[in-house]
Each structure stands twice: as structure tokens, then as C-alpha cells.
């Protein structure tokens, strides 16, 4: 069979490099110290420490003492706090009880001031006075109404129209009411039994006249300002 020519040299090197522990590792291994244990986040990369920016503005004075401040020691007072408190309690005015109200017989108590039962708002200086914004809004409405009326007058002047006076309006209203009374009197004089076509047509005519007069009277009473075109 085939035998390698390098066999003797390989065997020699293997025997030369083989130690007493063979291939199982060294007999004694250096044990690490228990103090050198792996800590949390120890292998994470750390950023270089940044320089603190120095603020040129001065910090405001604190109203509370700092952590490094120490109280002043050694101060003594000869004041008798017990007697002082007793005199203040004797000579002081008694504390008034807070007004409350009970809404149920189980004794549920609530503050009286915030309940709305005390009329405290009527004692204000500006109670019942029209607010400024309301007065300003009313003035704006009046100004807008005047501008609107002025625009209507200008438009009516362009169209050659005139306004009916109060006396003419009153006389016109009285005339319409008088005509309605006459038509109504004639309507009341109709026969009870309407059995012919002329009677029926006459009744419908009176009803239409009364309806038209009522509409005209309602329009004139509703509108105080009336404009008519010049002939």
C-alpha cells in the first residue's frame, strides 16, 4: 500500500509539540477576580463629555434657601410663645362660621355663597348699567339704519318717488276701513238661501273685495313709511 514519505517527519513534530495536557487544554487556568465582573452598559460606546455652556446672564435670586445653605445657629429669644398665643386667642375676635345650606334631610351641606341663593351681584356698582359693547353695538346699528334710509331716499329720488305723509297715511287707512264696513254691510244684507248663479257670483265678489281690503289695511298698518311713484 501507499506510504507517505513525510510520515516520519509528521510523527516527530507531533511528539515534539505534544505536552502533558495533550489536547484537553492546560491543567491550571488563571481564575479571574470576583471584583472584575461585567457591569451593565459597560460595553456601550461612551460619548466624550461636552463643555458646559457658560451663561453670561445672572441667575435670579432664589426665594428659597439652597441645599448648601445652613441655618443661623446660636440665636435665642426670650419671648414666651405660650403666653403670647394665649393672649391672642383670648383677645382675638371669634371666627365667623361659614354660611352653608342643607338641601336634603340627610344633612348634605353646601356653601351658601356659591349656590346662587345670595343676591350678591345686585350690590355691584355697575349692576343694571348697559355694558359699553352693547351701547357701541346699538350706535353701530343706528348708524347703519340711517345709512340704509339715506340710500333708500337717494334711490327713490332717482326713481321720482315721494313719501306718503302721516296724515295721508291715516286718511287712507280710515278710507279703507270705511270701504270695508260698507262692503261688510252689503254682505250681511244678502239672502240666507243663495239658490241662483247671480247671487252666488255677487257673494263671491263681495268676499274677494273684503279680503283685498283686509290685506291693504294690514300692509298699511304694518309699514309706517310708504312711498308712491309720482304721476
Amino acid at each position: 500500500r501507499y506510504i507517505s514519505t513525510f510520515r516520519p517527519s509528521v510523527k516527530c513534530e507531533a511528539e515534539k509539540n505534544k505536552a502533558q495536557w495533550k489536547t484537553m487544554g492546560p491543567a491550571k487556568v488563571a481564575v479571574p477576580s470576583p471584583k472584575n465582573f461585567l457591569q451593565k452598559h459597560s460595553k456601550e460606546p461612551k460619548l466624550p463629555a461636552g463643555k458646559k455652556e457658560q451663561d453670561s446672564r445672572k441667575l435670579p435670586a432664589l426665594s428659597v434657601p439652597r441645599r448648601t445653605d445652613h441655618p443661623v445657629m446660636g440665636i435665642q429669644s426670650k419671648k414666651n410663645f405660650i403666653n403670647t398665643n394665649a393672649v391672642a386667642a383670648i383677645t382675638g375676635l371669634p371666627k365667623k362660621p361659614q354660611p352653608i345650606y342643607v338641601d336634603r334631610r340627610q344633612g348634605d351641606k353646601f356653601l351658601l355663597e356659591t349656590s346662587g341663593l345670595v343676591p350678591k351681584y345686585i350690590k355691584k356698582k355697575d349692576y343694571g348699567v348697559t355694558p359699553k359693547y352693547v351701547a357701541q353695538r346699538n350706535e353701530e346699528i343706528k348708524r347703519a339704519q340711517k345709512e340704509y334710509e339715506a340710500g333708500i331716499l337717494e334711490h327713490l329720488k332717482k326713481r321720482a318717488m315721494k313719501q306718503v305723509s302721516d296724515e295721508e297715511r291715516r286718511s287712507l287707512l280710515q278710507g279703507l276701513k270705511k270701504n270695508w264696513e260698507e262692503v261688510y254691510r252689503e254682505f250681511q244684507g244678502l239672502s240666507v238661501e243663495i239658490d241662483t248663479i247671480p247671487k252666488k257670483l255677487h257673494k263671491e265678489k263681495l268676499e274677494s273685495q273684503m279680503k283685498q281690503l283686509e290685506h291693504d289695511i294690514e300692509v298699511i298698518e304694518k309699514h309706517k313709511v310708504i312711498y308712491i311713484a309720482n304721476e
Side-chain angles (χ1 to χ4, degrees):
R1 63 180 182 178
Y2 171 77
I3 297 174
S4 176
T5 55
F6 300 99
R7 184 176 182 181
S9 62
V10 171
K11 290 179 70 175
C12 181
E13 289 181 1
E15 291 177 358
K16 182 178 179 181
N17 296 330
K18 187 179 291 186
Q20 57 181 352
W21 52 82
K22 300 290 176 84
T23 59
M24 300 299 295
K28 292 184 180 180
V29 180
V31 181
S33 175
K35 295 182 180 179
N36 299 331
F37 58 88
L38 183 62
Q39 296 183 356
K40 189 176 182 180
H41 304 294
S42 60
K43 292 188 177 182
E44 293 181 359
K46 295 183 179 180
L47 298 175
K51 297 181 180 179
K52 295 183 179 180
E53 297 181 359
Q54 297 180 357
D55 193 357
S56 59
R57 296 175 297 179
K58 295 183 179 179
L59 296 175
L62 298 176
S63 59
V64 295
R66 298 179 181 273
R67 295 179 61 183
T68 56
D69 295 345
H70 299 283
V72 181
M73 308 297 292
I75 299 178
Q76 297 181 358
S77 176
K78 296 181 180 180
K79 181 178 180 180
N80 192 342
F81 291 95
I82 297 177
N83 294 340
T84 304
N85 294 339
V87 171
I90 294 171
T91 58
L93 296 175
K95 185 178 180 181
K96 294 183 179 181
Q98 199 169 11
I100 58 175
Y101 73 98
V102 181
D103 61 344
R104 295 194 300 176
R105 61 183 180 179
Q106 280 78 5
D108 295 339
K109 299 179 181 179
F110 300 94
L111 296 177
L112 184 61
E113 184 178 0
T114 58
S115 65
L117 301 175
V118 181
K120 62 179 182 178
Y121 293 103
I122 62 175
K123 298 180 181 178
K124 297 174 67 176
K125 294 182 180 180
D126 56 349
Y127 179 77
V129 180
T130 305
K132 294 182 179 179
Y133 73 93
V134 176
Q136 185 177 0
R137 185 178 301 172
N138 293 336
E139 292 179 359
E140 292 177 357
I141 292 173
K142 290 181 181 179
R143 191 184 310 110
Q145 184 67 22
K146 289 181 180 179
E147 292 177 358
Y148 176 72
E149 292 177 357
I152 290 178
L153 290 175
E154 187 68 22
H155 180 67
L156 293 175
K157 288 179 181 179
K158 291 180 180 179
R159 295 184 59 183
M161 300 184 72
K162 68 176 183 178
Q163 180 181 354
V164 178
S165 62
D166 294 339
E167 295 180 358
E168 293 176 353
R169 176 177 171 276
R170 196 179 301 109
S171 62
L172 178 62
L173 190 61
Q174 291 177 358
L176 290 174
K177 290 182 178 179
K178 186 177 181 180
N179 293 340
W180 183 87
E181 290 176 357
E182 292 177 357
V183 176
Y184 182 71
R185 191 181 301 108
E186 186 177 355
F187 181 80
Q188 291 290 332
L190 294 175
S191 59
V192 177
E193 185 177 357
I194 301 175
D195 51 354
T196 60
I197 294 178
K199 290 182 179 180
K200 186 176 181 181
L201 294 176
H202 184 56
K203 180 183 178 182
E204 292 178 355
K205 180 181 178 181
L206 294 178
E207 288 178 349
S208 62
Q209 290 179 0
M210 291 172 60
K211 187 178 294 184
Q212 183 64 33
L213 289 171
E214 289 175 357
H215 178 266
D216 296 340
I217 292 170
E218 184 181 358
V219 170
I220 294 175
E221 288 181 347
K222 184 177 180 181
H223 300 87
K224 295 183 179 181
V225 181
I226 301 174
Y227 295 94
I228 57 175
N230 292 329
E231 296 179 358

